Amino acid sequence: MRGIDSVFAPVELGVSAAEVSGGVSGVKRLTYEGRDCLAAYARTGDGEALMQIAPVASLLAEATATAEDVRDSIRHLYLFGTLIVGAVMLALAFVSLYASRAVTRPILALTQAAKRLAAGDFSVRVPAAGRDEIAELGRVFNDLAPTLDAHLRLCETVSLASEIQRSLLPAHPPAVPGLTLAAVCRYCDETGGDYFDFLPFTGPKAGLVGLVVGDVTGHGLEAALLMTTARALLRPRAAAAGTPGEVLADVNRELARDTMGSGRFMTLFYLELDPTGRVATYARAGHDPALLYDPGRDVF
């Protein structure tokens, strides 16, 4: 910083000195003491004038240094930001992997358990801790396994009962001279209460043939059990002496004791044929009557 009288001595500063004298401030590029310079000048409030002269090279050097500092700062910020972004991405990758495994692990466990269940392993269970949807699905699966086991066992029991019941029905009617006998039974369920039987007799009823048709109320295992009980009571009683009415009365007495209070009952038709004497004697307990058809006259 120099006074006007000392710094405006060179001729090249004459224009600037004149502008300052006129109260004009400004900046000019000029040659001073053989160097390229910038001169900034202005008048102060007390009437004096000030001028600052600086070589352009020095100013550019300072600007270059400042720009380099800015570039270094930007590079450092870029590097630091890259590291931060990389660290965040890596953390997100680990979090995503953990979260995905937390979801897929119980699903894989359910898949493996379902395969074991399909293979017949009803003891399989899966972890079902928590309150989310997957845990709830695990609890449902754990409840499902014993239910399926019980259902399968019931199906096996029903299948066995059906097989036993069908084996109790006669496979073929007996051969009786002068008669053609036939019967068929088709259950709407695996088991039922429909019943028919042929009873070739020996002993006191030798030469006679017994025919039975019965129907138990309802379907399923309960009806099948009552039908089996009625068969077990009827066969030995029918083989003993007595009319069809007496046979059904005795069977009814025993069967009523077993079914009392259950609401179950059955109807029964029992017929004894005497092929030699050409006589048919029957009794019915709530069942439909027999039909006798005369083909010669085409009447029942």
Side-chain angles (χ1 to χ4, degrees), residues 199-218:
L199 308 175
F201 294 122
T202 59
K205 292 186 178 179
L208 300 181
V209 178
L211 287 82
V212 185
V213 177
D215 185 13
V216 180
T217 56

Side-chain angles (χ1 to χ4, degrees), residues 188-189 191-194 215-220 222-224 264-265:
C188 61
D189 294 330
T191 57
D194 297 328
D215 185 13
V216 180
T217 56
H219 304 281
E222 294 182 357
R264 291 279 179 175
F265 66 94

Side-chain angles (χ1 to χ4, degrees), residues 38 47 54 61 63 69 71 82 112 120 144 163 197 217 224 229 233 270 295:
L38 286 177
D69 290 340
R71 282 193 294 269
T82 301
Q112 295 299 323
L144 178 64
E163 183 179 348
D197 207 351
T217 56
T229 302
L233 293 173
Y270 174 56

Side-chain angles (χ1 to χ4, degrees), residues 93-182:
F94 278 111
V95 170
S96 299
L97 179 61
Y98 177 79
S100 64
R101 288 183 62 84
V103 174
T104 58
R105 189 181 299 111
I107 293 178
L108 290 176
L110 277 171
T111 302
Q112 295 299 323
K115 290 180 180 179
R116 290 175 58 187
L117 184 64
D121 183 5
F122 295 101
S123 64
V124 63
R125 298 292 186 273
V126 296
R131 297 184 177 180
D132 56 6
E133 291 80 0
I134 297 178
E136 180 63 23
L137 183 59
R139 285 188 285 270
V140 172
F141 179 89
N142 291 339
D143 293 338
L144 178 64
T147 302
L148 287 178
D149 187 18
H151 182 71
L152 180 61
R153 293 180 186 277
L154 178 61
C155 289
E156 292 174 349
T157 301
V158 171
S159 178
L160 179 60
S162 176
E163 183 179 348
I164 293 174
Q165 184 179 26
R166 293 179 190 280
S167 69
L168 296 178
L169 299 179
H172 304 284
V176 180
L179 295 177
T180 300
L181 303 178

Side-chain angles (χ1 to χ4, degrees), residues 22-108:
V24 178
S25 302
V27 178
K28 291 185 177 296
R29 188 168 182 172
L30 48 79
T31 300
Y32 180 71
E33 295 181 354
R35 293 183 298 176
D36 187 17
C37 299
L38 286 177
Y41 49 90
R43 182 178 294 277
T44 64
D46 54 3
E48 295 183 351
L50 298 176
M51 175 175 285
Q52 178 70 42
I53 299 176
V56 173
S58 299
L59 294 176
L60 292 178
E62 292 181 4
T64 302
T66 301
E68 188 63 30
D69 290 340
V70 172
R71 282 193 294 269
D72 288 342
S73 298
I74 292 174
R75 282 195 295 269
H76 291 157
L77 287 175
Y78 178 78
L79 179 60
F80 182 73
T82 301
L83 292 176
I84 292 297
V85 171
V88 171
M89 294 296 292
L90 186 61
L92 288 176
F94 278 111
V95 170
S96 299
L97 179 61
Y98 177 79
S100 64
R101 288 183 62 84
V103 174
T104 58
R105 189 181 299 111
I107 293 178
L108 290 176

